[in-house]
Amino acid sequence: LFRPRPFTSAVAMMPPGTGETAGAAPAPVKPLFGGCWSCRILSGTGLLAAALWIYQGPRRTMKRGIPPSMAAIAQITFAISE
């Protein structure tokens, strides 16, 4: 016959001395990339440069007098929202 297992909580399945039963304070949360300011500035500058590059493509064609297509409008909107 098949007998279902009794319900056990996740805390009961943890090794002793861990989880809620340990009574210790939880470990401090660390930032994903360590909070390095040079990394933040570099990645932010890269994102702004990418947005500028995406924005300049349709702008060049519009400066020539060519009406913008829906793709160009979507591209400009994406670059501005970035």
Side-chain angles (χ1 to χ4, degrees), residues 3-52:
R3 292 186 188 178
R5 288 183 170 178
F7 176 76
T8 51
S9 68
V11 174
M13 296 171 67
M14 290 183 178
T18 61
E20 296 175 9
T21 58
V29 178
K30 293 182 180 178
L32 184 61
F33 294 108
C36 171
W37 274 101
S38 62
C39 297
R40 290 180 186 186
I41 291 171
L42 182 65
S43 63
T45 305
L47 279 173
L48 289 175
L52 183 64

Side-chain angles (χ1 to χ4, degrees), residues 57-76:
R59 287 291 296 161
R60 277 189 221 118
T61 59
M62 290 188 331
K63 283 181 182 178
R64 292 182 198 151
I66 302 171
S69 65
M70 285 303 294
I73 293 171
Q75 199 171 0
I76 289 174

